[in-house]
């Protein structure tokens, strides 16, 4: 089989890229190792930056998001047993975010792709990406029990850190920068109506906590826990009690969480990772194949979307004019945004979490930084601008 663009991985990055290319009349084939049910049920991010939501609308994938998603105009920070709200529109010129789960984004994009897009093959294991330096890179894969070959003009690796695409960038030219954090998140989904209108980020002596949501009736909640924690060691009652303790304040809103049946429980390790460059020859990396951020900054899905928006523009320009200038600039263009997002995610993570080894001095520094956000418009605007998402390059 031959196509213009071979896309490895049917996560939000690969699917959004396929849609953008389809709308521009550029053919592609998407190969996904898992089955459709698994892909549509993967629990991941739930916060869409302004630019990501706008891109989904422009791609024709925003109708259900606008109907069922929840626009948010700020977040609440809790520290020192006090609550402070960061108002996004007043600090960013009107920008906000959309709460709409990655699972729903993926469902919408899969439906569009299957309805009128190019081939989308599930249960397809890519075994290698070869010929990055040639004019016709090749993807070798297994589908329906047979070995097959996809010959492309360009290959886009959207298959995550453990996928095969990143190995198409030779180790001799590939550099990976990473940091592993000394704590994890215990995340739950619960059949419980959120009692808060916006996300709540809590710094406490007991550790970090985050109150989010998936809908008006489903809560998504997180607790900082030690690395290696077994989620089965945490009973539902223990989780709810600990969440209430970490969100407690002496002033401001005095709510306690609505308790409900916990339907999902998992421990998420925290790490930062960037692979450079994001392109070698005619093979390009996007999303988690190139970079991973800790989730406190809500940047993972949004960085992936930004990558493929930049890449789609470059491929459209190549098709229209024959120029590879934007393709050649892809890695540098994206990495500027990636490192900004990595820094913001690092800031949110290290400011809000209690490192097991930190002392009282370091805790006071965290509280001083949070107080600065609460009392300085400039500091609050820096947080709000990064959280809602920096503008995409023209």
């Amino acid at each position: 089989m031959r196509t213009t663009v071979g896309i490895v991985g049917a996560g939000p990055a690969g699917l959004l890229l396929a849609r953008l290319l389809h709308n521009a009349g550029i053919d592609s084939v998407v190969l996904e190792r898992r089955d459709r049910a698994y892909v549509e049920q993967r629990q991941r991010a739930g916060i869409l930056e302004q630019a990501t939501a706008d891109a989904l609308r422009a791609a024709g994938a925003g109708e259900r998001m606008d109907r069922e998603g929840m626009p948010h105009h700020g977040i609440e920070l809790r520290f020192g047993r006090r609550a402070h709200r960061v108002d996004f529109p007043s600090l960013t010129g009107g920008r906000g975010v959309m709460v709409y789960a990655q699972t729903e984004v993926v469902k919408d994009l899969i439906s569009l792709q299957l309805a009128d897009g190019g081939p989308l093959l599930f249960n397809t294991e890519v075994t290698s990406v070869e010929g990055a330096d040639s004019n016709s890179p090749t993807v070798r894969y297994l589908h329906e029990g047979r070995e097959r070959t996809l010959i492309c003009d360009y290959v886009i690796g959207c298959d995550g850190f453990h996928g095969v695409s990143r190995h198409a960038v030779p180790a001799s030219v590939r550099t990976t920068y990473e940091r592993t954090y000394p704590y994890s998140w215990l995340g739950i989904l619960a059949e419980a109506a959120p009692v808060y209108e916006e996300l709540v980020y809590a710094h406490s002596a007991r550790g970090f906590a985050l109150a989010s949501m998936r809908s008006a009736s489903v809560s998504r909640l997180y607790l900082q826990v030690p690395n290696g924690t077994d989620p089965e060691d945490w009973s539902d009652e223990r989780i709810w009690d600990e969440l209430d303790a970490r969100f407690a304040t002496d002033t401001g809103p005095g709510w306690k969480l609505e308790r409900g049946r916990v339907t999902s429980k998992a421990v998420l390790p925290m790490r930062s990772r960037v692979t450079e460059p994001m392109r070698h020859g005619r093979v390009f990396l996007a999303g988690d194949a190139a970079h991973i951020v800790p989730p406190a900054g809500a940047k993972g899905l949004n960085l992936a979307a930004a990558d493929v928006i930049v890449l789609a523009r470059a491929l459209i320009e190549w098709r229209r004019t024959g120029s590879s200038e934007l393709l050649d600039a892809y890695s540098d263009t994206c990495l500027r945004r990636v490192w900004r997002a990595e820094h913001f995610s690092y800031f949110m993570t290290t400011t809000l979490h209690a490192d097991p080894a930190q002392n009282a001095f370091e805790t006071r520094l965290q509280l001083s930084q949070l107080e600065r956000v609460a009392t300085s418009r400039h500091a609050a605007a820096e947080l709000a601008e990064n959280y809602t998402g920096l503008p995409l390059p023209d």
Side-chain angles (χ1 to χ4, degrees):
M1 183 162 50
R2 185 174 186 96
T3 188
T4 302
V5 180
I7 301 172
V8 184
L15 292 166
L16 177 57
L17 177 60
R19 188 65 192 172
L20 294 172
L21 296 178
H22 170 78
N23 290 347
I26 299 175
D27 61 294
S28 68
V29 174
V30 183
L31 308 176
E32 168 57 44
R33 183 168 65 94
R34 302 284 193 167
D35 62 32
R36 179 178 180 180
Y38 180 91
V39 172
E40 292 185 339
Q41 292 171 11
R42 273 189 295 217
Q43 293 297 330
R44 291 291 189 272
I47 305 295
L48 306 182
E49 292 177 358
Q50 183 80 55
T52 304
D54 290 345
L56 288 169
R57 294 185 185 102
E63 180 181 355
R64 193 163 70 94
M65 174 189 70
D66 285 328
R67 187 173 67 250
E68 300 179 10
M70 295 174 285
H72 279 203
H73 305 292
I75 58 171
E76 185 177 292
L77 299 174
R78 294 193 171 197
F79 60 97
R81 298 184 66 86
R82 292 176 292 135
H84 174 78
R85 182 174 182 268
V86 179
D87 182 80
F88 292 158
S90 66
L91 296 165
T92 64
R95 295 207 308 275
V97 297
M98 177 74 76
V99 176
Y100 190 62
Q102 177 173 314
T103 50
E104 306 310 310
V105 173
V106 167
K107 289 175 187 175
D108 295 342
L109 290 169
I110 286 175
S111 294
L112 287 170
Q113 186 73 6
L114 294 178
D116 59 16
L120 167 54
L121 306 181
F122 293 104
N123 295 305
T124 300
E125 182 179 358
V126 172
T127 57
S128 66
V129 177
E130 303 170 0
D133 291 320
S134 72
N135 290 328
S136 299
T138 299
V139 181
R140 301 192 184 279
Y141 63 98
L142 301 174
H143 182 66
E144 296 180 340
R146 293 180 55 193
E147 294 185 0
R148 302 172 188 263
T149 299
L150 178 65
I151 301 172
C152 317
D153 291 318
Y154 293 97
V155 174
I156 317 301
C158 303
D159 50 345
F161 180 79
H162 297 291
V164 302
S165 297
R166 61 191 299 273
H167 298 290
V169 180
S172 60
V173 302
R174 187 176 74 231
T175 302
T176 298
Y177 305 89
E178 58 187 326
R179 174 179 179 140
T180 300
Y181 296 86
Y183 34 72
S184 299
W185 277 8
L186 172 63
I188 67 165
L189 278 174
E191 295 175 344
V195 296
Y196 38 88
E197 295 182 356
E198 296 171 329
L199 272 67
V200 182
Y201 290 77
H203 173 288
S204 82
R206 305 175 71 99
F208 170 78
L210 170 61
S212 182
M213 68 279 286
R214 285 295 179 263
S215 70
S217 60
V218 176
S219 294
R220 182 69 161 154
L221 299 141
Y222 301 93
L223 285 168
Q224 176 188 341
V225 294
N227 286 342
T229 293
D230 183 347
E232 296 309 313
D233 290 341
W234 283 76
S235 67
D236 293 1
E237 183 178 13
R238 182 187 178 193
I239 291 171
W240 290 116
D241 288 346
E242 188 64 24
L243 286 165
D244 278 336
R246 296 190 192 187
F247 287 121
T249 62
D250 296 327
T251 60
W255 49 257
K256 282 196 172 184
L257 295 166
E258 182 77 22
R259 299 192 176 196
R261 186 173 73 91
V262 175
T263 59
S264 174
K265 185 165 45 177
V267 170
L268 315 172
M270 309 280 281
R271 61 175 62 92
S272 300
R273 183 180 287 131
V274 179
T275 295
E276 297 185 5
M278 292 173 58
R279 177 259 181 104
H280 181 72
R282 290 191 170 222
V283 175
F284 296 76
L285 305 180
D288 286 359
H291 42 73
I292 294 172
V293 291
K299 290 286 156 262
L301 168 58
N302 295 294
L303 272 183
D307 290 346
V308 298
I309 291 168
V310 170
L311 188 51
R313 291 173 179 173
L315 287 165
I316 292 167
E317 180 70 7
W318 164 76
R319 170 58 66 85
R320 186 176 69 86
T321 68
S323 171
S324 63
E325 182 178 358
L326 294 182
L327 289 169
D328 294 339
Y330 168 76
S331 184
D332 289 341
T333 300
C334 288
L335 283 170
R336 284 192 291 272
R337 186 184 189 88
V338 166
W339 280 111
R340 176 87 296 275
E342 289 283 356
H343 186 270
F344 176 67
S345 299
Y346 170 84
F347 163 78
M348 292 289 285
T349 302
T350 57
T351 301
L352 290 165
H353 291 72
D355 189 313
Q358 81 182 38
N359 57 33
F361 179 85
E362 292 164 319
T363 299
R364 293 294 294 171
L365 289 178
Q366 289 178 318
L367 292 171
S368 174
Q369 180 60 55
L370 291 166
E371 188 69 30
R372 168 76 174 162
V373 173
T375 56
S376 164
R377 181 177 178 83
H378 294 294
E382 177 73 7
L383 188 153
E385 288 171 359
N386 281 276
Y387 196 99
T388 57
L390 301 177
L392 289 166
D394 292 331

